[in-house]
Amino acid sequence: MNICHYDKRMDFFYNRSNSQTENDWTGTKLIIVLCFGACCCLFIFVSNLLVIAAVIINKRFHYPFYYLLANLAAADFFAGIAYVFLMFHTGPVSKTLTVNRWFLRQGLLDTSMSASLANLLVIAVERHICIVRMRIHSNLTKRRVTFLILLIWAIAIFMGAVPTLGWNCICNITTCSSLAPIYSRSYLTFWTVSNLAVFVIMLVVYLRIYMYVQRKTTVLSPHTTGSINRRRTPIKLMKTVMAVLGAFVICWTPGMVVLLLDGLNCTKCGVQHVKRWFLLLALMNSIMNPVIYSYKDDEMWRTFKKMICCLLYKRRGHRPSRMSSTVHSTRSNDTTSHYIEEVNNHSPTLKDI
């Protein structure tokens, strides 16, 4: 009969997993990692708060894509909170944690990562629908967008809570993994395979977008009389898409592969020595998301500048100028909208596609 070990502290499980890195990460090495993590978290908090505030303030962002973008920023902000909690519960402190506190530490990370991943997938699908249907914004109602956002967080919370709900190895320590000493290897395998499957789905979606835009650009080019910058808009869109794919592959795939190897009980893979570096690498995706999805949007940049100027004027005692959502631009600078407008202006026969 299996014996459950809920009353044990984490040192019991770490010792059984033969994890030596918990003691190795002390002194200078731990300080460097914590300082780097603190700087990353600070940037995550500030940049994603700017994105959320911009979407709320600027009425030009009151569309489904930007609501999802704000939710992605909220997920990345939550990732920063999860990592701050991790920083105070890592290193030698890890072995002194109770089982429930360790579940909370890892559950926050899993929830934040799942939420970011789900958001990216929904955004990718939304962009695909808009480009294929030649629309600037999707026709999703606020009620449907709200439902999608709630669904994203429900899935993320569920994925983060699954080990706590019972899919763990506390009552069967022979199935415990090495990287996550109280997680079952079968759960690690399930979690990594499901995430990698989402990666593949996103890859397929973005490849379809790329192929579609390339095909329409080829058809459109001989009939285009617009400016050179307008002709290059589809290429800029593709660069953004490839940047998203590249960031995702670089930041997430190494960690997922290491977790999968651990779930498959690869004892000679040396997963213990790289786990924290790959965790930092995954965190970098939360830093890159605001840059890739938001800061390349001229309208978003202008909104950021207005908010920062207002804050500076307030601190200096001046009366801040009223932020107008209609200044500087007569239409959204979203690259997708430029591409669609170019197609609709110069190739009327494509409207019925």
Side-chain angles (χ1 to χ4, degrees):
M1 183 177 179
N2 293 331
I3 300 176
C4 296
H5 300 278
Y6 286 98
D7 58 332
K8 302 289 185 180
R9 289 192 174 271
M10 286 306 299
D11 58 345
F12 172 79
F13 299 98
Y14 277 117
N15 291 335
R16 287 192 57 87
S17 66
N18 297 319
S19 175
Q20 302 298 325
T21 56
E22 300 302 322
N23 293 326
D24 292 341
W25 284 76
T26 56
T28 304
K29 184 183 292 187
L30 182 61
I31 292 174
I32 293 174
V33 173
L34 292 180
C35 289
F36 177 76
C39 293
C40 290
C41 290
L42 179 61
F43 182 83
I44 289 172
F45 292 147
V46 173
S47 61
N48 287 288
L49 279 177
L50 282 174
V51 174
I52 295 172
V55 173
I56 294 174
I57 293 172
N58 195 333
K59 292 183 179 180
R60 293 188 178 276
F61 296 147
H62 292 183
Y63 292 98
F65 170 75
Y66 290 104
Y67 293 146
L68 294 172
L69 183 67
N71 193 45
L72 173 62
D76 290 329
F77 185 89
F78 186 82
I81 295 176
Y83 192 79
V84 169
F85 187 85
L86 173 65
M87 288 193 297
F88 287 99
H89 297 83
T90 191
V93 180
S94 298
K95 291 189 175 183
T96 66
L97 298 177
T98 62
V99 169
N100 290 332
R101 187 165 287 272
W102 196 95
F103 271 136
L104 175 62
R105 188 191 83 170
Q106 199 63 30
L108 290 174
L109 289 172
D110 294 346
T111 299
S112 64
M113 291 180 180
S114 298
S116 295
L117 183 61
N119 268 288
L120 290 170
L121 177 62
V122 172
I123 289 174
V125 174
E126 195 269 350
R127 287 293 88 191
H128 178 270
I129 293 174
C130 289
I131 291 177
V132 171
R133 296 182 179 180
M134 293 186 179
R135 294 178 178 176
I136 297 176
H137 297 290
S138 64
N139 58 355
L140 291 173
T141 63
K142 289 185 177 181
R143 180 177 297 181
R144 290 181 179 178
V145 173
T146 302
F147 172 77
L148 282 175
I149 292 174
L150 293 177
L151 180 63
I152 287 170
W153 283 103
I155 294 173
I157 293 172
F158 174 77
M159 292 295 289
V162 166
T164 309
L165 297 175
W167 199 347
N168 54 61
C169 64
I170 295 178
C171 296
N172 187 9
I173 58 177
T174 59
T175 64
C176 290
S177 65
S178 176
L179 294 178
I182 56 177
Y183 275 14
S184 172
R185 289 193 298 270
S186 60
Y187 172 74
L188 271 189
T189 303
F190 161 77
W191 194 79
T192 53
V193 169
S194 60
N195 282 313
L196 289 173
V198 175
F199 291 177
V200 173
I201 293 173
M202 289 182 62
L203 177 62
V204 171
V205 171
Y206 281 127
L207 284 177
R208 284 179 60 86
I209 293 175
Y210 176 82
M211 294 171 63
Y212 182 85
V213 173
Q214 286 289 84
R215 186 170 64 253
K216 294 305 177 184
T217 302
T218 303
V219 175
L220 181 63
S221 295
H223 309 284
T224 301
T225 58
S227 65
I228 295 176
N229 289 333
R230 295 291 293 277
R231 296 180 191 182
R232 291 177 179 174
T233 299
I235 304 302
K236 292 180 180 179
L237 175 62
M238 287 307 99
K239 289 182 178 179
T240 302
V241 169
M242 297 310 297
V244 171
L245 276 177
F248 224 70
V249 170
I250 293 172
C251 293
W252 285 84
T253 303
M256 292 293 104
V257 171
V258 167
L259 288 174
L260 180 60
L261 292 174
D262 188 31
L264 297 175
N265 199 24
C266 179
T267 58
K268 299 181 180 180
C269 297
V271 295
Q272 288 287 350
H273 302 288
V274 295
K275 63 177 183 179
R276 276 190 175 83
W277 298 114
F278 286 162
L279 178 61
L280 288 173
L281 187 60
L283 180 71
M284 291 298 293
N285 189 242
S286 295
I287 297 175
M288 299 172 74
N289 283 339
V291 176
I292 297 173
Y293 281 93
S294 305
Y295 296 166
K296 289 187 177 182
D297 189 317
D298 294 337
E299 182 73 16
M300 186 73 74
W301 267 119
R302 283 194 286 270
T303 307
F304 289 166
K305 292 177 182 178
K306 290 178 186 178
M307 290 189 295
I308 294 173
C309 288
C310 286
L311 291 175
L312 292 176
Y313 279 128
K314 280 186 177 181
R315 292 190 63 179
R316 294 177 181 177
H318 297 288
R319 184 177 178 181
S321 60
R322 184 179 178 183
M323 182 177 297
S324 174
S325 62
T326 61
V327 179
H328 297 294
S329 178
T330 59
R331 65 179 181 273
S332 172
N333 285 296
D334 182 22
T335 55
T336 303
S337 67
H338 287 322
Y339 170 65
I340 295 171
E341 183 181 355
E342 186 76 13
V343 173
N344 288 337
N345 288 339
H346 299 283
S347 185
T349 60
L350 298 177
K351 292 182 179 180
D352 298 327
I353 294 180

